[in-house]
Amino acid sequence: MCLLHPFWSCCCVLVLFSLGVQGAPGAPSATPEQVHLSYPGEPGSMTVTWTTWVPTRSEVQFGMQLSGPLPLRAVGTSSPFVDGGILHRKLYIHRVMLRRLLPGVQYVYRCGSAQGWSRRFRFKTLKNGPHWSPRLAVFGDLGAENPKALPRLRREVQQGMYDAILHVGDFAYNMDEDNARVGDKFMRLIEPVAASLPYMTCPGNHEQRYNFSNYKARFSMPGNTEGLWYSWDLGPAHIISFSTEVYFFLHYGYHLVEKQFRWLESDLQKANQNRAARPWIITMGHRPMYCSNADLDDCRWHESKVRKGLFGQLYGLEDLFYRYGVDLEIWAHEHSYERLWPIYNYQVFNGSQERPYTNPRAPVHIITGSAGCEERLTPFVIFPQPWSAIRVREYGYTRLHILNGTHVHIQQVSDDQDGKIVDDFWVVRPLTNRMMYL
Ligand SMILES: *[C@@H]1O[C@H](CO)[C@@H](O)[C@H](O)[C@H]1NC(C)=O
Ligand SMILES: *[C@@H]1O[C@H](CO)[C@@H](O)[C@H](O)[C@H]1NC(C)=O
Ligand SMILES: *[C@@H]1O[C@H](CO)[C@@H](O)[C@H](O)[C@H]1NC(C)=O
């Protein structure tokens, strides 16, 4: 009841107001939350992104000392994001790019404004140039409910085991739900991981509501496509992230399929001109071309859309990736782990019978979508096709160690088996002639 003295009634309105606009009732609404990092693609830089519930300045204070004052400062911008749900909840997304950072060095930072600061976080900058060995944790399909692999990932990230994360689509289940509160919950949940290293993403089908607006607003990926497709260099690798969803949600625009395809082709061309310096080309997209799961997903169709394109002939990706000698294709969507033998057009192209992944004659595919979500795990068919090398129906994630220009090490970590490695293999390719798979 608010029939009180004007002072109290005003207070009451304020309380109701703050409950209405804030994510967490009682927290100061100008205090940053949902802090996360991404790599903007320029050597020596890092982008910090966070959320507030009122407009404030966007500032990051940083330095190299663990305690004491943070001597360095960077300012950025904030933009309001209005969710598409009936409450039209408004978030202020802040972005600040830190530049001229020293390579391979630990920094401490906090973000916010005079109206409220985040706690301090730490990250290590990426090294420059191709001559180092990045380590990544890779997975898709991580939800706000049942995020099975997250505690282990968090421990390993805090131990400094990784340089970056690749989240191959499908977040929160779903970020738009409950008037985007599920998105807020998810972004808070991943903060201990995502505020400590670049958290690189691509969109999945669960992001599609309101034209992928929660995805586009909340993350800050390189390039000018709001994170739908982009690429970046990491040590000896060129990493391409793209949207498989343009092939499925056509009402948002047919032209996106063509636009992305043209961009992919020109990016692959450029990457191949630079291939002597960065021999690995690694792609990440949400829905696989092939899979052995017992469901009716696109990857179960002989002419899957991602593989063969629209109407089985327009803008298919298998030919494109094969033609430009892509080494490794990472997928998710299926809530399981699967590794394929080197494959092109349903034919297996082992390097040799004994060492299938040494000088493979076609791209290598892995599907890693078992980080954990409310939909649980996806079963496999009983009799997989001969192109399927291994299938694991356990929660977990993938480690990708890009050792140098010729050697990449891939491991699958089972969270169900307390961190046991349930798949372990090397892809080895020569330094030269990487574009040719003939
Ligand atoms: C959906 O998003 C894409 C990419 O951001 C944009 O080009 C397109 O115009 C949007 N479509 C609608 C209907 O808003
Ligand atoms: C590829 O190599 C694997 C492992 O040696 C083997 O089981 C499979 O039969 C090979 N496939 C072809 C087509 O050579
Ligand atoms: C990459 O590392 C492997 C394993 O240590 C080594 O055998 C190989 O020669 C290295 N390649 C290059 C180009 O340095």
Side-chain angles (χ1 to χ4, degrees), residues 4 45 55 132 159 304 388:
L4 294 164
S45 66
W132 62 289
Q159 286 163 14
S304 72
S388 175

Side-chain angles (χ1 to χ4, degrees), residues 131 144 157 178 185 253 263 267 276 278 298 329 364 366 405-406 418:
H131 300 294
V157 165
D178 191 11
K185 180 181 173 194
W263 177 85
D267 192 72
R278 300 194 198 265
D298 184 57
E329 302 181 17
V364 175
I366 60 167
T406 57
D418 198 27

